[in-house]
């Protein structure tokens, strides 16, 4: 039989997560799997999920996506060289729930006709079929738990029955809620707070995320006492060994001494994928002069009047 190589790319991401790329070398009967990932086997909910492969010799493949409260199949046609690509977009992956998911790639075999299929009755109950004969009743998709492997195994075992030439290759990954984390600071710094910084100094703020590199994060700097917005900017996601990372530099020139709230979140959502921390700006010894805020933070938009200073757009420093 022909060797087939499938590439599954998850994220943003990508590397987000992050383009998360997972390569599966699938040899029927004895499949071997090799992974190249930034966030191993993990997709942030709402990230783009791209499936691509080579070696589809029979004109098309069917992609089964099975997970907690989720079930769908997608048919895609390969080109004349057997290459295919299919993307599951954020609007769809945002419906995924946390837990293990299975992607099962189905090659219809030499006869070009898929024998393994499914039926959904009027009540929403799913049955897996082999040549129109029921393999097993699965029940409604709402009953599929966080572990998708037992459900996917039914399909794979059904394809191994005599007289069936479909080739089904399963791949398992995990869905997580999007998250943004700040790098840990020394134990001498209170939890959830960055080291103190003197007025006029620059500080690099960095952290990690499970979102892909195609994403942009959004950072806000606010006065902790008044919640007044001081500035905002967009931050790219970049790759790192295990988790993707982000960073930006905050120039405190012109900030009044006090505590400030830094929030970094996902531009696709206001409620998920957000992290925050506190930075305390302390006075420079013997200097009480405060210049207008001209720090390099406010890309690309600030509320209030906006003026351009060098490469930055800045607005009024909201000192109360």
């Amino acid at each position: 039989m022909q060797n087939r190589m499938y590439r599954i790319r998850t994220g943003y991401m990508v590397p987000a997560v992050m383009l998360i790329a997972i390569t599966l070398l699938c040899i029927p009967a004895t499949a071997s799997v090799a992974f190249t990932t930034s966030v191993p086997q993990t997709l942030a909910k709402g990230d783009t999920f791209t499936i691509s492969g080579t070696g589809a010799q029979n004109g098309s493949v069917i992609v089964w996506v099975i997970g907690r409260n989720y079930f769908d199949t997608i048919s895609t046609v390969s080109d004349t060289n057997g290459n295919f690509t299919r993307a599951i977009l954020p609007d769809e992956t945002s419906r995924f729930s946390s837990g293990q998911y299975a992607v099962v790639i189905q090659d219809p075999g030499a006869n070009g006709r898929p024998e393994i299929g499914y039926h959904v009755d009027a009540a929403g109950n799913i049955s897996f079929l082999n040549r129109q004969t029921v393999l097993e009743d699965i029940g409604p998709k709402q009953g599929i738990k966080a572990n998708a492997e037992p459900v996917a195994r039914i399909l794979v075992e059904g394809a191994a029955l005599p007289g069936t030439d479909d080739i089904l290759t399963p791949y398992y990954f995990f869905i997580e809620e999007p998250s943004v984390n700040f790098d840990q600071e020394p134990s001498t710094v209170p939890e959830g707070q960055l080291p103190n910084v003197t007025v006029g100094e620059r500080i690099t703020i960095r952290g990690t995320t499970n979102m892909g590199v195609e994403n942009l994060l959004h950072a806000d700097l606010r006065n902790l006492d008044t919640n007044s917005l001081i500035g905002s900017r967009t931050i790219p996601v970049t790759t790192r060994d295990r988790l993707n990372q982000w960073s930006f530099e905050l120039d405190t020139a012109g900030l009044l001494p006090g505590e400030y709230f830094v929030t970094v979140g996902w531009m696709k959502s206001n409620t998920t994928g957000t992290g925050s921390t506190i930075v305390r700006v302390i006075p420079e010894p013997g200097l009480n002069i405060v210049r207008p805020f001209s720090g390099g933070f406010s890309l690309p938009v600030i509320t209030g009047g906006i003026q351009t200073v060098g490469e930055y757009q800045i607005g009024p420093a909201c000192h109360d």
Side-chain angles (χ1 to χ4, degrees), residues 261-305:
F261 195 57
V262 180
T263 301
V264 177
W266 199 15
M267 298 185 72
K268 296 180 181 178
S269 172
N270 294 323
T271 59
T272 62
T274 298
S276 60
T277 190
I278 295 171
V279 58
R280 177 179 288 117
V281 179
I282 60 177
E284 185 177 351
L287 183 62
N288 295 319
I289 298 175
V290 178
R291 297 165 292 166
F293 179 57
S294 58
F297 184 85
S298 49
L299 279 177
V301 174
I302 263 193
T303 58

Side-chain angles (χ1 to χ4, degrees), residues 231-251:
S232 62
R233 69 175 300 172
T234 54
I235 311 167
V237 176
T238 58
T239 59
R240 200 161 76 174
D241 291 342
R242 292 189 60 80
L243 281 173
N244 291 325
Q245 64 182 359
W246 54 266
S247 67
F248 64 91
E249 187 175 73
L250 171 63
D251 181 359

Side-chain angles (χ1 to χ4, degrees), residues 106-188:
Q106 179 180 2
D107 186 308
N111 64 14
R113 297 188 305 272
E115 283 112 3
I116 301 299
Y118 72 95
H119 172 73
V120 180
D121 68 19
N125 296 304
I126 302 166
S127 299
F128 289 162
L129 310 176
N130 184 334
R131 288 168 291 182
Q132 302 304 312
T133 299
V134 174
L135 285 170
E136 189 158 338
D137 294 321
I138 305 302
K141 65 181 180 181
Q142 291 80 6
I144 300 176
K145 305 303 182 183
N147 180 12
E149 190 276 334
V151 180
R153 190 185 335 126
I154 296 169
L155 290 172
V156 175
E157 291 177 351
L161 294 174
T164 304
D165 70 349
D166 289 6
I167 302 167
L168 273 68
T169 305
Y171 166 70
Y172 302 98
F173 65 100
F174 289 89
I175 293 293
E176 293 181 347
E177 293 293 332
S179 64
V180 173
N181 303 295
F182 287 78
D183 281 356
Q184 294 292 323
E185 299 298 331
S187 57
T188 55

